[in-house]
C-alpha cells in the first residue's frame, strides 16, 4: 500500500513546537548557488525553489541514487544542479493523524505536478532531469533498478544551511521562517544554468 504523503516525513516522533534558531547563513545556498531560495508559483500554489551546483559530497549521494539511470550512471565529475524545494505546510508533519496524512498528500501532489512540469520542459530542451519521489526517496521518473534512498533532510541542510532538530529517531528540517511546518522535496538536472533559469522564469523567477 502506498504511504500517505511522504513516508520519509512520517516517522512517529514525539515533537513539540519548534522555533527555528537564528542562523545568519540559513537560506544562503552553498557555494555554487544558481538561484537563492525564491518563492515561485505553479497552478496557483507557492513553492520555494533554490538551485545549487551539487558539491562533491552531494554528488557522491546522487551518483548512488541515480546509478541505474538510462543515460548511464552519474559521475562525480558531472555538472549537476540540485533544486531543493520547500512548501509551507498548515501543520507540523512529524506526527501521525488523518489531518497530517491529508496535508502530506496535498503537498506531495503539488510538488509532483511542479516537478513533472519542470522536468518536461528541460527534457524538451534535450537535458536530463528527474526528481526524488518523496514517498520512497527514490528517483520518480527513471525508476529502473534504483535502490539507494536520497536523504532529503540532510541534503537541504547541506545546500541551504537550514537548521535541523532531532525528534526521537527523526531529523527534522527547520525552515528559517516556517520552522518544522515545511515539506522538503528535490529536483535534479544536468541542464546548464542559463537553460534552467529560462525554464524557471515560467514560474515567476525574475518577475520582480
Amino acid at each position: 500500500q502506498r504511504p500517505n504523503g511522504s513516508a520519509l516525513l512520517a516517522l512517529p516522533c514525539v515533537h513539540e513546537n519548534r522555533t527555528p534558531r537564528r542562523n545568519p547563513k540559513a537560506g544562503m545556498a552553498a557555494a555554487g548557488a544558481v538561484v537563492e531560495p525564491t518563492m515561485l508559483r505553479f497552478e496557483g500554489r507557492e513553492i520555494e525553489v533554490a538551485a545549487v551546483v551539487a558539491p562533491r559530497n552531494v554528488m557522491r549521494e546522487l551518483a548512488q541514487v541515480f546509478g541505474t539511470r538510462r543515460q548511464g550512471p552519474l559521475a562525480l565529475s558531472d555538472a549537476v544542479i540540485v533544486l531543493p524545494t520547500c512548501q509551507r505546510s498548515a501543520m507540523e508533519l512529524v506526527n501521525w493523524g488523518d489531518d497530517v496524512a491529508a496535508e502530506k498528500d496535498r503537498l506531495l501532489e503539488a510538488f509532483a505536478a511542479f516537478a513533472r512540469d519542470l522536468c518536461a520542459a528541460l527534457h524538451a530542451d534535450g537535458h536530463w532531469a528527474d526528481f526524488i519521489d518523496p514517498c520512497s526517496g527514490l528517483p520518480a521518473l527513471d525508476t529502473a533498478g534504483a535502490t539507494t534512498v536520497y536523504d532529503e533532510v540532510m541534503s537541504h541542510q547541506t545546500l541551504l544551511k537550514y537548521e535541523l532538530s532531532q525528534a526521537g529517531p527523526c531529523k527534522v528540517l527547520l525552515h528559517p521562517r516556517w520552522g518544522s511546518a515545511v515539506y522538503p522535496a528535490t529536483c535534479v538536472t544536468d541542464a546548464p544554468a542559463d537553460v534552467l533559469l529560462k525554464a524557471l522564469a515560467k514560474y515567476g523567477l525574475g518577475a520582480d
Side-chain angles (χ1 to χ4, degrees):
Q1 182 179 357
R2 178 179 176 273
N4 288 323
S6 172
L8 303 179
L9 299 175
L11 295 175
C13 301
V14 176
H15 186 66
E16 69 273 14
N17 291 331
R18 296 179 185 272
T19 302
R21 289 176 290 172
R22 294 183 180 275
N23 178 0
K25 295 183 179 180
M28 296 175 62
V34 177
V35 177
E36 297 288 348
T38 303
M39 293 303 295
L40 304 181
R41 294 186 67 84
F42 178 67
E43 296 182 342
R45 297 170 176 171
E46 288 192 331
I47 182 169
E48 182 187 81
V49 178
V52 185
V53 176
R56 191 171 182 83
N57 59 333
V58 174
M59 275 303 304
R60 281 196 294 267
E61 184 173 7
L62 292 174
Q64 295 178 340
V65 173
F66 294 100
T68 60
R69 66 176 189 155
R70 287 185 295 272
Q71 295 89 339
L74 286 174
L76 293 180
S77 58
D78 287 345
V80 170
I81 296 177
V82 183
L83 291 91
T85 77
C86 291
Q87 292 180 83
R88 186 174 188 176
S89 58
M91 63 198 71
E92 294 181 343
L93 301 178
V94 292
N95 296 315
W96 295 106
D98 291 343
D99 54 345
V100 174
E103 178 69 354
K104 288 177 183 175
D105 280 343
R106 181 185 72 82
L107 297 168
L108 168 64
E109 291 171 5
F111 167 71
F114 165 78
R116 288 183 184 280
D117 192 76
L118 175 60
C119 288
L122 296 173
H123 293 164
D125 276 338
H127 302 287
W128 170 76
D130 205 336
F131 62 97
I132 301 298
D133 179 355
C135 288
S136 65
L138 300 175
L141 303 180
D142 202 346
T143 59
T147 58
T148 301
V149 173
Y150 186 70
D151 191 335
E152 200 77 71
V153 171
M154 289 303 298
S155 173
H156 275 64
Q157 196 278 331
T158 298
L159 297 174
L160 301 180
K161 309 305 181 188
Y162 287 176
E163 296 285 351
L164 300 182
S165 175
Q166 192 74 30
C170 308
K171 285 186 174 66
V172 179
L173 186 71
L174 296 179
H175 190 278
R177 297 192 306 279
W178 311 331
S180 58
V182 60
Y183 190 90
T186 298
C187 300
V188 185
T189 184
D190 64 2
D194 59 335
V195 174
L196 178 60
L197 292 174
K198 180 180 177 182
L200 291 175
K202 170 183 176 181
Y203 313 108
L205 182 68
D208 295 337

